[in-house]
Amino acid sequence: MNTRLHYLTTFPGILDAYFNYSLPGKAVSKGLISYQTVNLRDYTQDAHRTTDDTPFGGGPGMVMKLDPIVQALQDCRQPNSLVILPTPKGTLLTQEVVHHISSYEHLIFICGHYEGVDDRVFQYVDMPLSIGDYVLGGGEISSIVITDAVIRFVKGVLGNQESTQIESFEDKQRLEHPNFTRPATYNEMGIPDVLLSGHHQKIEEWRKLESLRWTLLLKPELIQPDSLSKNDLQRLRTIKASLNRTIDSLLNNYE
Ligand code: SAM
């Protein structure tokens, strides 16, 4: 299935730059995804091709006008489209949301600027999405963030589709295990011996243990107590014992 992407924007060049390189570039040239920028200025009626205006009630900044967006949507929206509005007011983008979005064949992104888009735009949107609790200058960057997460799930985009399954957040809401590559020693820093052993079962077990350990240390809230298998419980005991040893040896220095 070819995933089609439309971007309603006043800065098409930002999207063109993204789709020129790396994974997205290859996906476009292989025909796995296709993208189209829709210049909102082409949907204006005035000589200056104005897409923004001052806010009613006064105040700083400009607000993006609704009409060019609604007209552009009328041209590109289809029954199977999902219309996404990147906005700090939207649902937070998570890997679960990415999965959901990647099931659509056609995504339309509305890229806001300045103070954002006239609020009545929400009437025309299927999914307002925030990429985090901070404010960017424009919706092209947030649309690219969403796109970059989504296209990894389009069949054929990644050389090895298995990579999406062992990624952080994919396996029972865990962070991924650490990864290393050559050289095995760098600035006197080595890597765990097991990774050089060639013993696939032991490597697999080490990865599961480290995935659990780093999730516990960095994002314990991801771990659902009822998702722990018998093997996970054993791994938790191993992690606890090793942490206890580290803590005991630190305390010994002071006691
Ligand atoms: N005045 C708006 C507010 O306070 O909610 C912020 C507008 S922001 C300067 C301009 C545009 O950047 C937005 O319309 C949106 O397209 C994009 N943007 C900024 N922060 C974002 C975020 N956290 N998630 C998604 N898009 C964002």
Side-chain angles (χ1 to χ4, degrees):
M1 178 177 78
N2 169 312
T3 302
R4 288 173 307 117
L5 306 155
H6 266 89
Y7 300 87
L8 279 44
T9 173
T10 43
F11 296 94
I14 301 177
L15 281 314
D16 291 331
Y18 166 70
F19 283 107
N20 254 332
Y21 295 98
S22 188
L23 220 60
K26 281 186 200 146
V28 170
S29 58
K30 283 186 193 163
L32 301 169
I33 60 174
S34 60
Y35 86 98
Q36 202 175 325
T37 54
V38 177
N39 194 332
L40 288 169
R41 295 194 193 283
D42 294 341
Y43 288 89
T44 55
Q45 313 296 335
D46 62 314
H48 299 291
R49 307 176 83 206
T50 317
T51 55
D52 56 280
D53 205 340
T54 53
F56 276 125
M62 300 296 275
V63 176
M64 286 191 67
K65 290 160 76 69
L66 199 52
D67 192 55
I69 292 169
V70 173
Q71 299 295 331
L73 275 178
Q74 258 167 22
D75 272 0
C76 60
R77 188 176 210 156
Q78 281 154 19
N80 63 354
S81 308
L82 182 75
V83 179
I84 296 171
L85 177 75
T87 162
K89 296 172 186 163
T91 309
L92 189 67
L93 184 73
T94 62
Q95 194 70 349
E96 208 179 336
V97 175
V98 170
H99 268 287
H100 173 71
I101 299 174
S102 64
S103 65
Y104 284 82
E105 279 175 44
H106 185 211
L107 304 178
I108 302 174
F109 294 88
I110 301 171
C111 307
H113 268 271
Y114 321 114
E115 290 307 315
V117 183
D118 182 315
D119 233 59
R120 290 166 288 187
V121 73
F122 284 95
Q123 300 295 323
Y124 300 88
V125 165
D126 298 315
M127 193 182 271
L129 268 185
S130 165
I131 62 163
D133 289 344
Y134 44 84
V135 177
L136 299 176
E140 288 77 11
I141 302 290
S142 32
S143 297
I144 287 172
V145 169
I146 300 164
T147 303
D148 210 56
V150 167
I151 61 172
R152 302 177 78 252
F153 288 96
V154 175
K155 210 163 170 235
V157 167
L158 291 183
N160 182 354
Q161 206 61 35
E162 199 196 343
S163 351
T164 57
Q165 285 153 26
I166 55 171
E167 219 88 61
S168 297
F169 311 114
E170 290 296 335
D171 177 23
K172 292 187 194 155
Q173 305 286 302
R174 300 281 160 76
L175 298 178
E176 193 189 3
H177 55 76
N179 287 303
F180 305 93
T181 187
R182 273 173 279 275
T185 306
Y186 183 79
N187 277 350
E188 296 178 18
M189 288 179 289
I191 64 164
D193 288 340
V194 65
L195 297 180
L196 299 170
S197 69
H199 195 301
H200 295 301
Q201 222 175 324
K202 282 189 182 161
I203 292 172
E204 194 49 33
E205 179 48 34
W206 178 86
R207 287 179 167 162
K208 285 187 173 144
L209 183 84
E210 293 306 313
S211 165
L212 187 56
R213 185 200 307 275
W214 287 106
T215 312
L216 253 177
L217 295 175
L218 300 175
K219 283 193 181 282
E221 71 278 10
L222 287 181
I223 301 175
Q224 310 284 335
D226 57 3
S227 77
L228 294 168
S229 66
K230 238 169 121 180
N231 287 338
D232 283 334
L233 296 180
Q234 189 48 45
R235 289 177 193 121
L236 276 180
R237 286 185 199 103
T238 307
I239 294 165
K240 188 172 177 221
S242 95
L243 278 174
N244 279 344
R245 278 196 300 278
T246 310
I247 293 167
D248 285 346
S249 89
L250 285 171
L251 288 177
N252 279 341
N253 287 327
Y254 294 88
E255 283 163 358

